Each structure stands twice: as structure tokens, then as C-alpha cells.
Amino acid sequence: MNPTFEWQDRKDERYLLLHFARHFSAESARDAIRTISPMIMKTEGKITMVWECSDMAGFDQAAREAWQIFVKDIKSKIERIHLVSNKLLIRSGAVVVGIFAGIKINTWAKIDEIP
């Protein structure tokens, strides 16, 4: 599955790490949303998400559109989102997702930079 995901604990905080690789297609987006959405909605309280996109090569416009609707739909469950990538295209896509969903997405070049 793209992205792969797992719950992790970091600096006394539990977060959902999503690791995006290669090209993020519309089909991958739909599959991920079907899997991740119910899991997030069952979680008590708000969550922090880390989108590790260092290995991501690009994305379909339809994938970005599906993902931004997903993020808007789960906005009430999100404490914060961190995006990790040094690629301008990936960072720009995340900013668009954040603007559409009404949530600030913090961008970092490396995962170690996240406070």
C-alpha cells in the first residue's frame, strides 16, 4: 500500500506516520483513505500525523484532490500535520491540501527537524 502507515511514539507524543513512496496515484489515495479513515475516526482525541514524503516522486492531481477531501473530512480529529520532504512539488501540493482543508501543514526537509 502507498502510503504505508504505523503508529509511533516520539518525544512523548503518539502520532500516525504515513510513508509515501514513488508516485502517489488516485487509486493509491482511494485505497489508503478507505483503510486509514475509519482507524482515525475510532481513535479517541486528536492525532498528530507525519507524512514522510522524502521517497515520493510525485502525485496525480486526482490523488491530491481525494487526499484534500479526506483531510477536510477528518479535520476535527487532527491536532497537527507535519510533512517531510525537500521537494518543492511535494511541499506545494501539501500546502494546497492544507489550504483546502483549513489546516496548517508544517513542512520539514528531514524528519529529525520536527520539534
Side-chain angles (χ1 to χ4, degrees):
M1 176 179 284
N2 183 25
T4 57
F5 57 91
E6 65 180 306
W7 290 103
Q8 289 193 350
D9 295 309
R10 183 172 184 269
K11 298 181 182 178
D12 298 325
E13 182 177 16
R14 186 159 176 82
Y15 64 93
L16 182 61
L17 173 68
L18 288 87
H19 186 266
F20 294 82
R22 304 171 313 280
H23 188 82
F24 189 45
S25 68
E27 182 180 351
S28 293
R30 287 189 297 271
D31 290 345
I33 291 165
R34 272 194 300 272
T35 303
I36 297 168
S37 186
M39 182 180 71
I40 289 172
M41 296 314 284
K42 290 178 188 172
T43 303
E44 297 219 7
K46 293 190 173 204
I47 66 164
T48 295
M49 298 176 81
V50 176
W51 300 348
E52 171 45 275
C53 299
S54 299
D55 298 327
M56 188 178 190
F59 53 86
D60 293 343
Q61 181 174 335
R64 182 191 47 78
E65 290 168 353
W67 200 253
Q68 67 193 29
I69 292 167
F70 162 65
V71 172
K72 187 173 186 175
D73 288 347
I74 65 166
K75 179 182 174 183
S76 65
K77 298 292 288 180
I78 297 175
E79 182 70 35
R80 71 183 64 76
I81 297 173
H82 298 287
L83 174 111
V84 180
S85 177
N86 61 2
K87 297 174 184 136
L88 184 58
L89 172 70
I90 306 302
R91 286 178 163 215
S92 299
V95 168
V96 170
V97 169
I99 290 169
F100 177 86
I103 189 166
K104 181 178 182 340
I105 297 178
N106 303 295
T107 58
W108 311 94
K110 297 179 182 174
I111 201 163
D112 314 8
E113 296 175 348
I114 299 172

